[in-house]
Amino acid sequence: MLLKMWEPLNEKFKKYPARMRVAQKMIELGLSLKDDGKIYCGNLKISDNALANAADVDRRVIKATTEVIENDPDLSNIFKNIIPAGTLLKNIAKNLNLGVIEIEVTSENEGILAAVTELISEKKVNIRQAYADDIETKEFPLLTIITESPVPSDIIKEFLSIKGVNRVSIY
């Protein structure tokens, strides 16, 4: 799915799907291109081989992609300013006795975060983290909410009544 945010990438990489996969993987993982021409996650340098494996491309594609980015002011501005989002608690929530709510949203998703957080607040449960997939890059984007404690399962019906909510999982 290549929508408005992908236009600068699509324009430069439309003839090179492997380079597009590298650029998309960099955005997905919060990887930036620094002035030294190397790719970083925060201040940790990422090897070309590691990114090539993650993007399922030959390692030489990484160098070709970074050269295109460095030589294009618009792309350079994007990729030099990416920062990683930080640790997502979803996969370790159970170990920390936290609750997880995953909400699959439709294209009609305006106001879902506000409505969901209001419902959780009404149940007197604190939110630790919220993460939403980019609706332009995911076919079935998820809103993931990590709570201080599990929410009661009867809240599922309330979540499903919110316009734009397609599916809800609580664990």
Side-chain angles (χ1 to χ4, degrees), residues 54-147:
D56 194 27
V57 299
D58 184 276
R59 66 178 174 75
R60 293 172 291 194
V61 175
I62 306 302
K63 185 67 176 159
T65 305
T66 58
E67 287 174 359
V68 170
I69 292 169
E70 287 178 313
N71 292 316
D72 182 279
D74 292 331
L75 293 178
S76 182
N77 189 40
I78 291 169
F79 285 93
K80 290 191 179 201
N81 289 298
I82 293 175
I83 57 172
T87 302
L88 299 177
L89 298 173
K90 176 184 160 189
N91 292 340
I92 59 173
K94 185 175 182 179
N95 304 85
L96 301 173
N97 297 316
L98 302 173
V100 177
I101 306 163
E102 284 187 332
I103 300 171
E104 183 181 296
V105 301
T106 67
S107 59
E108 300 177 47
N109 56 32
E110 188 174 319
I112 288 178
L113 181 59
V116 166
T117 56
E118 183 177 343
L119 283 175
I120 295 168
S121 176
E122 288 172 2
K123 301 292 182 186
K124 305 286 190 236
V125 176
N126 291 325
I127 296 173
R128 288 277 303 266
Q129 191 174 65
Y131 173 79
D133 288 334
D134 186 333
I135 62 168
E136 292 190 10
T137 62
K138 299 285 185 177
E139 185 176 357
F140 302 106
L142 292 176
L143 168 61
T144 303
I145 308 281
I146 310 298
T147 56

